[in-house]
Amino acid sequence: MDFRSKLAAAWQRHDSLLCVGLDPDVARFPAHLKDRPDAVLAFCKGIVDATADLACAFKPQIAYFAAARAEDQLQDLIAHIHDKHPQVPVVLDAKRGDIGATAQQYAREAFERFKADALTVNPYMGFDSVEPYLEFADKGLIVLCRTSNPGGSDLQNLEIAGGRKLYQHVAELVAGKWNTHGQNALVVGATFPQELADVRAIVGDLPLLVPGIGAQGGDVEATVKAGRTAAGTGLMISSSRAILYAGKGEDFADAARKVALATREEVNLYRR
């Protein structure tokens, strides 16, 4: 099943727009896990197994795994998700962006080594830097558009020809001529609901990955109302730290589930 189909099925099956971010920081793990050689995998599997029926996607952030020398554990984690929770797509959050020859290797890393269903990428170097990912026709390409961090305005909000903003131009490209297989999506932060609404108006039903709720303070009601499609879907609203570190003891996965459930239900209040 291709990424878009898998995502659409997860929206319906789990009645959820919640994307659970997997940003494993060993320093914040429960004490009983910290000394295990497979601590990253054990922690993330606990979160995944506790929240899989509440999520429309999982989003492991590759930097956390790489910093902990845990790339093999990331590979095993994604294999676990595909085996035990095959209905939930995996978005590898790596924000890659480089010349075509290097992009080919990044694409192989994401889709052949890690077997992710989708990958986040940076559009700053133009189409030839994202084209290699599109060779994997069934995989999702999630392009940075209007990011949740305050510094995103330094470039993304610049006015270009015709008075449009740069992020609006990116949205138009990604939804149009770059969307060669219909598998593209965009990153638009919850911290900018008006820009989120602008992007939705440009891209129609294109999926949007929306970070910024939870620890980053994005407003859930404003986010959902600005970004939902007419069908009440179209969003992967990402929450990471608020879910991952809800508990500090051996019941960390149960605590994570409670926060994930509450987040999903809050999102669902405003979907329809």
Side-chain angles (χ1 to χ4, degrees), residues 1-48:
M1 186 181 292
D2 64 51
F3 168 68
R4 287 285 300 269
S5 298
K6 194 171 185 178
L7 177 62
W11 283 330
Q12 299 302 323
R13 180 192 294 267
H14 295 163
D15 190 27
S16 179
L17 304 182
L18 174 65
C19 172
V20 176
L22 300 170
D23 301 359
D25 181 352
V26 177
R28 301 184 69 176
F29 284 4
H32 72 286
L33 292 179
K34 285 185 177 180
D35 293 331
R36 287 179 53 163
D38 65 341
V40 171
L41 178 61
F43 178 78
C44 290
K45 283 175 68 174
I47 299 292
V48 162

Side-chain angles (χ1 to χ4, degrees), residues 44-85:
C44 290
K45 283 175 68 174
I47 299 292
V48 162
D49 292 343
T51 62
D53 64 318
L54 304 175
C56 71
F58 287 114
K59 184 177 69 65
Q61 165 50 255
I62 196 169
Y64 285 84
F65 293 86
R69 297 180 172 85
E71 292 98 325
D72 288 346
Q73 293 181 64
L74 172 59
Q75 191 169 331
D76 291 344
L77 173 64
I78 295 175
H80 173 78
I81 296 170
H82 289 331
D83 180 44
K84 300 298 183 182
H85 312 289

